[in-house]
Amino acid sequence: MLKDFRIGIFLLVLAVTGLLIAWSAPREEGGRPMSVAEQNWVDSVFTSLTPDQRLGQLFMVAAYSNKDRKHAQYTEFLIKNYNIGGLMFLQGGPRRQALLTNRYQAAAKVPLLIAMDAEWGLDMRLDSSMHFAKGMTLGAMDDDQYVYQMGREIALKMKTLGVHVSFAPVIDVNSNPDNPVIGNRSFGENKEQVAKRGISYIRGLQDHGVMAVVKHFPGHGDTDVDSHVALPVINSDMARLTNVDLYPFQKSFEQGVMGVMVGHLYMPLLDTVRSLSATISKNLVTGLLKEKMNYRGLVFTDALNMKSVSTLYKPGELDALALAAGNDVLLFSEDVPMALQKIKEFIAEGKIEQADVDQRVRKVLRAKYWAGLNRYQAVDVPNLMTNLNRPLSRMVQQQIYEHATTVVKNEDGLLPFMRLDTLRIAAVTIGSDAPTYKEIMGKYQNGPVYAVPNRYAVDSTFARISSRLTPYNVVVVSLHNMNNTPTHNYGIGEGALKFLKELQANPKIKTVVLAFGNAYALKYLEGSRSLVCGYEDNYASQLVMPQVLFGALPAKGRLPVTVSENLKAGVGLPTPDLRRLRYGTPEETGLDSRILAQIDNVALEAVAYAAAPGCQVLVAKDGMVVFDKSYGYCTYDKSQPVNSSTLYDLASVTKVAGTLQAIMYLKDQGKLTLDERVSSYLPELKTTNKKDMTVREVLMHQAGLKPGIPTWERTITKAGPKPTFYASTESPEFSREVTPQLYSLSTSEDSVWAWVQRSSLLPKVKGKYPVEYSDLSFIILKRVAEKVLKEPIDGFLQKNFYQPLGLGTMTYNPLSKFPKSCIAPTENDTYYRRTQLQGTVHDQTAAMVGGVGGHAGLFSNANDLAILMQMNLQNGRYGGQRFFQTPVVTEFARSTEAGNRRGLGWDKGDPTKPEGPTSNLSPASTFGHTGFTGTCVWMDPENKILYIFLSNRVYPDAGNNKLRQYNIRTRIHDVIYKSLQKT
């Protein structure tokens, strides 16, 4: 009587709250209309089956692709002899599962309905598969569309693998921080958000041909027991159950979700029989779910092997009880033959109606028709991995974390990092080496990343790390390999917490704490003044986090759960986009990664044919680096592979990465006039043949200057360097390092300048000087810049460009900062310096003056060069700073003279040549420069494309012209434009 009264009151509440669907509008069986073709197929299959075979359709058995032959044979035995309706694949690998799927389907009389638990992607069950994101991460996002896109990508992978049913999404409202089984699988604690995210996921799956199964009805969010181990008791009152737990289920039913899974839960509100799981509760499955909530889709049991229920019943009994309760599909039956026997006994005893069984079999057959099994096709195994590894999936994966990463606290306003020249940043990873995070941190700054792989490391380990942090004013501590166990502090060790507390007490250091794990763990970290939550620890989260810290990406996420009184659900501080280079996927910018991958072929050809021993190739579009790879070795003996940190001699790219930046700065500041005579800035030229040349003419290589003049040649003999110009040791008189064993006169630059002043000019043609590319132009421009700036150009560039931009590798004379092993060697110089060059500039004139030439001398890796050039592509805006106040880069990059392809200092493509320096597919607005050592940079302001190629093609012989012979740099440029998708 008491039980009936409770249920009556409960149903009244359902009606009042609007969760009870009116009886006057029953749905069609299966929740959707049935076509004539579907009816005919279902009828024909149903009538072809014996009663026992029909019963077999209600079983979905566990299958593995990582077990032995006996398992596969027994599974096939069940398919052939008991006509089971489906399989739920668990652990294994994609290819092995595909092969077994084809084998099992071939053995089936009726095609099998294949299911998987893939809440966050196939990697929930399979190796070699992509991980997207767990529910908590999705709940933190600011935009539902990415949940839909994740559902779509998972559905397409499942279809490729021959899977028709996904046991997802979890739409439990997680209100209990101590929940050990739902936790970060839930979208959060807000019922509206859970419903919205769940519906987006459902649509993503079902719009792309995979049946969604929501779980765990009637709600598993408010429990502190793992139902895999014991039976959780849900002591919800009527108000909570109706207003919170059932709300997302009802909304999903209204939107047509095709399946629901009943959880292994005990709910005293509906059943007075103690320990009666919802799975076998007729009051819940039939009374509430099917009758009162009028759900017409497929009802799945949770796995019947789970210890919370399986240990309480005899073999086969649980299956029969679950069917009697109203479930349609029996998942993970441990003994199909015994279960069939028990079910037939229940039918004979009247505990299950035969008509109900037949109706459920038809529901299963309807699901198979919807899944396309009426026209079954085997899995395409040869193309499986290609089809699974959709480039768009990687894009969606990254976008999820871009929208989820949450700045929880920013009390000092430190985030995002702004003036990098004022910050000395070190990072400490706890729990992992975090390779992706470490790599991306290094893209923005050159501070160290110290790793403490053991998250439970002892105090002495942290003490050693602390002793190394003294030089830094910002320390970023990231927590990795966290877990979801509340009782174990979510995997945060006591030593780590003590280390953080000590750092935060140091007034000389600002500490930023990053949690790559469960948001509930933030309660142990809320003393931090700068706190960011990444929710998970994987490739994508590690890729995104540094980009948020440095303002390449704005922070958009909000906590989906309440952590503490101070950290409530909804907390999330937005941060600005500083327009720093981002790192992501080609597809996000409209490039096709599969075409872009053809760069590999061209670059590897260069290495194979000895056009260069190795190289770096970088491509960015719309401010995002989408391709950044290193190839080959630093030398042909293959002793040291090229990596992204390898420094290359930029050669004449120095003109635009060094001297031209200073010249544009002076023009931007109004301190330099383009049509003014150079002699106005350098009075010593007023008595020379160069007195009338203008700054513009020099920049355009149209001032009559010769390509080059003898400089270093004047300082050597056949026997070697002249003692009047060189010494083997450094001294005040000989202070300019040519090589580590050779120093030139401190006045050597004055000597070169004197020779430039005395040099003759080219003859005029029709009253004008011809266009003639000349190093002398930039030797003169460097002199102009230093005269107006009143300081050496290398110091000016470091202070005003390279350090604020965070360019750790871009420098003149790199041996003063880096070991030789970090630098790719250039020529084995047998005629001037008589040594193998490595770390000293290849250009002889630049070397003679101490490595800082207006035309050559800079070294860099591709990433730092890309940052500088992206700033130029953005007309001086970068990292929250304005390096140029006017559109001076646009002005300098334009061609202004007929018959001269060049801009002001910048080179451009040559439309008169079929194999010019740029791709013929690139627009005429493309600008950049090439370098003698085998380098180039090209920028396309129309398509916002940046391309960089760095190599040491002059190693060991500068006469090696294969790079040009095989047109390597331009062919790679071609590939980039071929990958540009038409929209």
Side-chain angles (χ1 to χ4, degrees), residues 824-958:
T826 53
E827 187 178 11
N828 183 10
D829 183 351
T830 59
Y831 47 90
Y832 172 34
R833 288 152 286 190
R834 305 191 180 193
T835 188
Q836 171 63 61
L837 302 178
Q838 187 171 9
T840 53
V841 62
H842 176 262
D843 182 90
Q844 297 88 348
T845 302
M848 179 183 167
V849 300
V852 183
H855 62 298
L858 275 176
F859 287 71
S860 180
N861 65 5
N863 184 76
D864 280 357
L865 181 58
I867 290 173
L868 178 66
M869 292 302 151
Q870 186 65 34
M871 179 274 287
N872 280 261
L873 199 52
Q874 294 171 184
N875 250 314
R877 295 174 183 263
Y878 193 91
Q881 294 179 252
R882 292 192 65 171
F883 292 85
F884 303 125
Q885 305 303 311
T886 64
V888 64
V889 180
T890 299
E891 179 184 358
F892 273 55
R894 280 196 298 262
S895 298
T896 58
E897 183 82 15
N900 186 345
R901 75 170 196 250
R902 298 179 184 275
L904 300 176
W906 296 103
D907 196 5
K908 298 175 74 68
D910 189 348
T912 66
K913 295 181 179 179
E915 294 184 352
T918 63
S919 169
N920 289 333
L921 301 174
S922 66
S925 58
T926 299
F927 65 100
H929 216 283
T930 57
F932 181 80
T933 51
T935 61
C936 74
V937 55
W938 295 110
M939 289 168 281
D940 168 1
E942 294 179 32
N943 295 296
K944 299 179 181 176
I945 291 175
L946 167 62
Y947 160 49
I948 290 170
F949 180 96
L950 302 183
S951 78
N952 55 336
R953 66 102 191 160
V954 295
Y955 173 86
D957 178 6

Side-chain angles (χ1 to χ4, degrees), residues 1 3 8 142 288 304 473 522 576 618 675 728 750 770 788 937-938 958 971:
M1 177 68 74
K3 179 184 73 174
D142 65 326
L288 173 59
L304 296 177
N473 58 11
L522 298 179
L618 184 147
D675 294 313
S728 59
D750 293 334
V788 179
V937 55
W938 295 110
R971 285 166 57 202

Side-chain angles (χ1 to χ4, degrees), residues 684-685 690 708-715 725-726 736 738 744-759 775-780 782-783 832 843-855:
E684 62 267 35
L685 293 181
K690 301 168 183 64
I709 59 171
T711 54
W712 60 276
E713 296 94 336
R714 302 170 187 255
T715 68
F725 283 97
Y726 300 98
R736 298 180 182 266
V738 180
S744 67
L745 278 168
S746 301
T747 58
S748 59
E749 190 162 11
D750 293 334
S751 298
V752 171
W753 180 236
W755 297 330
V756 170
Q757 290 180 69
R758 294 199 297 266
S759 65
D775 282 347
L776 302 187
S777 295
F778 276 81
I779 292 174
I780 291 171
K782 172 179 178 283
R783 196 84 175 184
Y832 172 34
D843 182 90
Q844 297 88 348
T845 302
M848 179 183 167
V849 300
V852 183
H855 62 298

Side-chain angles (χ1 to χ4, degrees), residues 152-196:
R152 175 196 68 204
E153 292 304 308
I154 291 175
L156 293 174
K157 292 178 189 300
M158 291 181 123
K159 292 281 284 185
T160 297
L161 199 54
V163 179
H164 318 103
V165 180
S166 178
F167 293 130
V170 171
I171 57 171
D172 301 313
V173 180
N174 198 79
S175 58
N176 189 336
D178 295 326
N179 193 321
V181 65
I182 301 303
N184 64 355
R185 296 167 65 194
S186 165
F187 296 120
E189 67 182 44
N190 181 287
K191 67 176 185 179
E192 298 282 356
Q193 287 296 323
V194 170
K196 286 174 61 181

Side-chain angles (χ1 to χ4, degrees), residues 205-243:
L205 289 171
Q206 294 186 176
D207 286 356
H208 296 88
V210 169
M211 181 189 306
V213 179
V214 292
K215 58 189 183 184
H216 305 84
F217 188 85
H220 204 326
D222 188 14
T223 178
D224 55 6
V225 174
D226 185 347
S227 55
H228 295 85
V229 178
L231 187 65
V233 178
I234 307 296
N235 285 309
S236 296
D237 58 21
M238 288 184 291
R240 171 173 171 95
L241 187 62
T242 56
N243 292 324

Side-chain angles (χ1 to χ4, degrees), residues 448-465:
V449 179
Y450 300 111
V452 182
N454 180 4
R455 60 189 178 185
Y456 299 112
V458 295
D459 290 352
S460 59
T461 300
F462 290 109
R464 284 195 298 273
I465 297 293

